[in-house]
Amino acid sequence: MTLNRQTIRLVILLGVIAICGIIGIQIYWMKKAFDLHEQQFRQSVMVSLRNVANTIAKSYNMSVIENPVEQLSSDYFVVNLRVPLEPGILEPLLIEEFKKKNLSTDFEYGIYNCDTDNIIYGGYVKESFEPYYVEGSNELPKTDKFLNYFGVRFPGKSSYITGKLDIWIISSLITLVFTVFFGYAMFVILRQKRLSEVQRDFINNMTHEFQTPISTIKIATDVLATDKITSQPERLKKYVDIIRSENNRLKNQVEAVLSTAKIGKGNIQINIQLQDLHALIWEVTESIRVELGEDFHLNLDAQKTSIKADKMHLMNIIRNLLDNACKYSGDHPEITLKTLNDDKYIYVAVEDKGIGIAKEHQAKIFDRFYRVPTGNVHNVKGFGLGLNYVKEMVRLHKWEIDVSSELGHGTTFVIKIPISE
């Protein structure tokens, strides 16, 4: 079953909406789960610190405070002591209470000294509840809520809470994989759709191109099969020449398809030798100079013309560019082929004053089988292979090719070739 454009667009739209919905729900529940674990963390810390404060209060025969803990930030808590305290007493109490609540995350603590109005750094304890030496002294924030207090900060709080969301992280990864798979599937569908359209157009064009010479040959052979033709030698020669011409035309078309297949498989080889570019240009433009006459301009201004190239393929490159210029120049083509130099390169330019190429098509004209839409599939002959062949040959020679065009004002192809002494 062939999917039309509207169906594909609908599938993509529904898929994008579905994925956006799934991602939105995933983010919502991830946020809810994070907030829940953060609340649980806060409650566990508050209970643990309150128990530490009450234990200290009982050891000093003081009354228990109902709410001795204040949270100053998401990861920093201060606890009312009411009496000065040594770090050696506080650390074991903190470790014991955090173990009870299974708060296995790094924390650091400090005790406020009212004489110096500073928090004296107590120490840093790893998630394994082992003391850890920190180079330098971390400064904990002060508060004026209490006269004597200690502060506890959890630098790894976010990582600790995230570690509790393993199921949600796994589900998010699955969602991500699904999203990537969907994107890839849509890419494959669109690519296959485009290839299908290109191949269909190619088959239609190939059928049309082959039908013309086949029909001509059939007519010519029918004429040659008549008895009267033997008594008309000029007419006989004419139809023999027609058959030979159409046979060569078919041969060239088949070779174009086979050459493209070889390029696609990487089987094509080039025979690089020293060539004189201008001599090749004169040879390859002989027929077009006769055909177009004054409408063909040859401006060979380059002074250094020695290059390294495969002669046959270079001639085919120029021939294809000239053929392309003729096809898209209407009934009265005006074409210019020119060369020029700089210090290192020779530039070959083929210009026409034809219909031009729209901006949206210029990036695709070198693709295999691609033909610029002109309304009617068969109004310009060809398979969409010529420019692809040119591009691949330029690439194999390690040259560069550029195209500039304006719709309704013609097209210019420029090949940049290194000069060889």
Side-chain angles (χ1 to χ4, degrees):
M1 182 180 68
T2 303
L3 296 177
N4 57 38
R5 293 179 182 272
Q6 189 173 0
T7 303
I8 292 176
R9 288 173 182 170
L10 181 61
V11 170
I12 293 175
L13 178 62
L14 293 177
V16 170
I17 292 174
I19 287 179
C20 289
I22 292 172
I23 293 175
I25 293 172
Q26 189 75 18
I27 293 173
Y28 172 78
W29 285 111
M30 277 278 290
K31 180 67 168 56
K32 294 285 286 186
F34 186 89
D35 291 343
L36 177 62
H37 283 287
E38 187 173 39
Q39 182 67 20
Q40 291 174 346
F41 174 82
R42 178 180 177 277
Q43 291 176 352
S44 297
V45 170
M46 296 284 281
V47 170
S48 298
L49 294 179
R50 185 179 62 198
N51 291 340
V52 170
N54 291 338
T55 299
I56 294 172
K58 289 178 182 178
S59 66
Y60 282 91
N61 296 319
M62 293 186 298
S63 60
V64 174
I65 301 177
E66 185 175 351
N67 295 310
V69 185
E70 286 282 345
Q71 183 177 8
L72 299 187
S73 66
S74 64
D75 62 349
Y76 184 57
F77 300 80
V78 292
V79 183
N80 187 4
L81 278 178
R82 293 179 292 173
V83 293
L85 193 67
E86 294 296 326
I89 299 174
L90 178 61
E91 185 173 300
L93 295 176
L94 291 172
I95 292 175
E96 181 182 356
E97 288 298 327
F98 290 161
K99 279 184 177 180
K100 289 179 182 179
K101 293 294 183 181
N102 198 28
L103 291 171
S104 53
T105 181
D106 296 6
F107 69 90
E108 56 185 346
Y109 66 94
I111 301 173
Y112 177 72
N113 187 328
C114 57
D115 294 332
T116 60
D117 192 29
N118 285 316
I119 292 183
I120 301 173
Y121 189 72
Y124 191 103
V125 180
K126 297 287 286 182
E127 61 181 21
S128 58
F129 299 109
E130 294 293 331
Y132 178 75
Y133 173 73
V134 178
E135 187 175 350
S137 178
N138 289 343
E139 190 172 324
L140 300 179
K142 296 188 298 181
T143 181
D144 56 1
K145 291 180 178 292
F146 309 121
L147 183 61
N148 290 289
Y149 62 90
F150 69 88
V152 180
R153 181 160 59 188
F154 298 90
K157 189 204 81 167
S158 297
S159 300
Y160 172 78
I161 295 176
T162 303
K164 300 289 184 180
L165 303 175
D166 48 353
I167 298 298
W168 289 101
I169 292 174
I170 292 172
S171 64
S172 297
L173 290 175
I174 293 174
T175 303
L176 178 62
V177 170
F178 174 76
T179 302
V180 172
F181 173 77
F182 174 81
Y184 178 74
M186 289 300 100
F187 169 77
V188 170
I189 290 173
L190 293 174
R191 185 169 178 267
Q192 288 299 117
K193 174 67 175 174
R194 179 177 174 274
L195 287 175
S196 177
E197 291 175 349
V198 168
Q199 289 174 355
R200 184 182 66 246
D201 291 343
F202 169 71
I203 292 171
N204 290 338
N205 290 329
M206 184 174 64
T207 303
H208 178 79
E209 291 292 325
F210 283 172
Q211 279 178 345
T212 301
I214 290 172
S215 299
T216 304
I217 291 172
K218 182 180 183 301
I219 293 171
T221 54
D222 288 343
V223 172
L224 292 177
T226 62
D227 295 333
K228 295 180 179 180
I229 195 68
T230 56
S231 61
Q232 300 173 331
E234 291 185 1
R235 192 180 177 200
L236 175 63
K237 183 179 182 301
K238 175 183 177 183
Y239 281 102
V240 169
D241 290 341
I242 289 174
I243 292 174
R244 184 182 294 113
S245 174
E246 294 301 319
N247 179 69
N248 288 334
R249 179 179 172 186
L250 277 173
K251 179 183 175 183
N252 292 335
Q253 290 171 341
V254 172
E255 286 181 350
V257 176
L258 293 178
S259 295
T260 304
K262 287 181 180 179
I263 292 173
K265 293 180 180 179
N267 295 333
I268 197 162
Q269 295 181 351
I270 55 177
N271 181 23
I272 300 293
Q273 294 182 357
L274 194 64
Q275 309 289 346
D276 182 270
L277 179 61
H278 283 181
L280 291 179
I281 290 176
W282 275 104
E283 183 177 348
V284 80
T285 59
E286 182 179 358
S287 61
I288 195 171
R289 280 185 278 124
V290 174
E291 181 181 349
L292 296 184
E294 294 182 355
D295 290 327
F296 180 73
H297 309 284
L298 197 58
N299 302 329
L300 305 181
D301 298 326
Q303 299 300 314
K304 298 179 180 179
T305 60
S306 295
I307 62 171
K308 289 182 178 179
D310 183 298
K311 180 179 179 180
M312 181 191 72
H313 289 301
L314 177 56
M315 292 177 70
N316 286 339
I317 288 172
I318 298 171
R319 190 177 290 114
N320 273 295
L321 291 177
L322 292 173
D323 185 53
N324 190 76
C326 289
K327 286 179 180 178
Y328 292 95
S329 291
D331 296 331
H332 303 286
E334 185 177 344
I335 299 170
T336 301
L337 191 157
K338 59 184 178 181
T339 64
L340 54 92
N341 278 130
D342 61 15
D343 293 337
K344 296 182 179 179
Y345 299 96
I346 184 170
Y347 299 88
V348 182
V350 176
E351 301 176 359
D352 66 66
K353 296 183 179 180
I355 61 176
I357 305 170
K359 293 291 185 183
E360 61 268 23
H361 299 301
Q362 290 181 20
K364 303 176 184 178
I365 59 174
F366 293 109
D367 293 349
R368 190 183 305 176
F369 306 131
Y370 186 81
R371 302 179 71 204
V372 177
T374 55
N376 183 349
V377 173
H378 302 306
N379 61 349
V380 177
K381 295 180 179 180
F383 297 147
L385 299 176
L387 290 181
N388 175 257
Y389 171 84
V390 169
K391 179 70 173 181
E392 290 301 319
M393 285 300 103
V394 167
R395 181 184 62 82
L396 287 175
H397 280 85
K398 297 181 180 178
W399 301 340
E400 296 177 20
I401 187 168
D402 188 31
V403 59
S404 60
S405 183
E406 186 177 349
L407 200 60
H409 292 83
T411 304
T412 301
F413 288 90
V414 179
I415 301 176
K416 179 182 177 182
I417 305 174
I419 299 171
S420 296
E421 298 298 335

